[in-house]
Amino acid sequence: MMMNRVAATLLVLCGWAFTPLAFGATIHVPKDHKTIQAAIDAAAKGDTVLVQQGTYTQSIRLKEGITVKSAGDDSKGNIGLKRAEDTIIDGGGAGAKGPSVMMAEGSTLDGFTVTKVGVFDQKEYEKHYATQGENLPDEKGAVGVGKNFPALAIPTVTAVVKNNLVHDNGQAGIGCMGKGNASLISKNVVFRNMGGGIGISDGATPTVQGNRCYNNLRSGIGNRNSAALIVANECFDNVRAGIGMREGAKPIIRGNKCYKNQRAGIGCRMEGTSPYIEDNDCYQNKMAGIGCRDGATPFIRGNRCYENTLAGIGSRDSAQPIIFGNKCYRNKEAGIGTQLSARAFIAHNECYENEKAGIGQQSDAETIIGGNHVHHNKLAGIGFDECKAGRSTILNNKVVDNTLVAIGIHSGWKVRIAGNELSRKDGLPPIVMVFKGSEVDFSDNTITGSGVAGIRTEGVVRVVNNKFKCPTLRKGGGPPQFAVWGLPGSEIVFTGNTVEGWRHALAADKASVIASHNTVCDFWQVGIRITEPTKPAVAIGNVFKTNLDHSGVSISGTQGIVEDNRVEKDVEKK
């Protein structure tokens, strides 16, 4: 007896208390009750209503703690489970006045088709599909807005909705609404609804896992002012995004496949919308793989975005994303793109084989770009289109083997480029191109190549403490081969750099030039060549190493200040 008391005490202290296991009753439809609702009304908490195959034209309202389940095993059918395909709740079509299924606290719906709650309008669907939902009003079919109602509703309760087919309804498929709603929505197939497939709104925090959502008029999974956990779903061919967020939604979106949607694979918009988007595959969407706009602040990490019609990851309209550790490749535009006053932090991504830039910026964006690997893109590695007042800092990136330039900067930009590895093999374009009307600071970069120039500039550049390497010196004749090439009208400060193998370390025509304390070796004929400078040129304290009869500085036209430059025998070249 004493031992039993001790054991019982230990179990209580450990948080384990034995209570008799209560098994609820099973109520059969139509054997015990002809309708599902009659069986629910007769059920008590813990009971299961088991429904045989058939079509039930009715609406049902579940009770607390009961399970409504279709009869049969989990054999696969054509779309989902066979028992779900064969056990149908028919909402009656155009006459539907509300949801066909209303969940209750602690209830479960397992394995039904929920359909014809209102009318799926094929003509209207096709109209919006053709225009990518551009003219679709925000309130059309949105869960929790106005008089809209979903086919299957989970209103301010925590319930389980699993293994169901929800399709061909006049508004949203599944609607999950309200604070305190921590429901599980799992393994459903939701398609052809005149709203979102699954809509989450008004403070709900469900787990949405393993669902397939396609051919819906809005997003496959839509989030509004909610904080769901959305994992391992498949969302494709929806009129809007595969997964969409707005109005302050803060979901965690992880491990989903979003593809062939008419807009973004994953899209977020509006101030206060700040999702965590991680480890998703977003591909072949008609817009971006992942897109953010209108002041949204997503954290976008470790995703794979490829073969999208626009950018792999795109931000615009004052969005402020953190874009970290993603792979963006084979997109029709940029791998990562920012525009229209977006402010983006772009770090440790790999962007390659995109049709235009690996990372592209437009129209007054502000970006910090750090630690990325950008390679084998068909135009620029990092590109800046013309704008009025863009700003960017480019730190510690590896930008190599892009078809045209490593970095191209058009007018309107102020850019700092520091600590990067920039290179490309032979080719006519320069490694970096700075256009008129831009202002760029280069420091502590390694720039390697054998094309026409390391940096070719029409704008204002300050080039400080960089290393320029050219593997094969071109000894006269043919195209230029200059570490820095200043075009007419440019302004150049060139100081503290190490230059090896370029025909000229600096060649500038009709430009403003200050060149000081650079070390130049393995050059051809003249280390620094300045022709007709726009103001007196300055060349001070430069060292030129050569074993040939070459000169250090050549200035033609207006003479400048040329002091303390020296030519030394390059002992290492003997």
Side-chain angles (χ1 to χ4, degrees), residues 24 54 95 100 149 170 203 241 256 263 303 306 362 396 460 466 493 548:
S100 263
F149 57 85
N256 302 280
R263 296 179 76 85
N303 302 280
Y306 55 95
Q362 299 176 330
N396 303 322
V460 177
N466 302 277
V493 174
L548 302 174

Side-chain angles (χ1 to χ4, degrees), residues 209 406 421 541:
Q209 182 172 8
E421 178 186 342

Side-chain angles (χ1 to χ4, degrees), residues 29 36 48-56 67-89 108-114 160-167 186-189:
V29 176
I36 302 172
T48 296
V49 174
L50 191 64
V51 182
Q52 293 297 319
Q53 296 174 4
T55 298
Y56 299 83
T67 295
V68 178
K69 183 179 180 180
S70 59
D73 58 22
D74 284 356
S75 298
K76 298 294 183 183
N78 294 321
I79 298 172
L81 297 185
K82 189 175 188 306
R83 62 183 172 90
E85 294 177 359
D86 293 341
T87 313
I88 301 165
I89 299 173
T108 298
L109 185 78
D110 180 359
F112 290 83
T113 291
V114 181
V160 176
V161 174
K162 63 181 181 178
N163 299 321
N164 301 287
L165 279 64
V166 184
H167 67 88
S186 177
K187 298 182 181 179
N188 303 283
V189 185

Side-chain angles (χ1 to χ4, degrees), residues 7 69 88 97 112 183 202 215 257 272 294 297 305 307 355 433 447 472 478-479 492 509-510 528 541 563:
K69 183 179 180 180
I88 301 165
K97 302 299 183 183
F112 290 83
S183 296
D202 302 322
N215 294 152
K257 290 185 177 180
D294 302 331
T297 55
C305 300
E307 296 176 4
E355 292 294 323
M433 180 67 207
I447 300 176
T472 306
I492 302 167
D509 300 297
K510 298 179 181 179
I528 294 176
E563 296 179 359

Side-chain angles (χ1 to χ4, degrees), residues 9-23:
T9 301
L10 288 173
L11 288 170
V12 170
L13 289 173
C14 292
W16 301 334
F18 282 122
T19 57
L21 294 175
F23 295 94

Side-chain angles (χ1 to χ4, degrees), residues 527-541:
I528 294 176
R529 190 200 73 190
I530 304 169
T531 304
E532 299 182 19
T534 55
K535 60 181 69 174
V538 176
I540 298 175

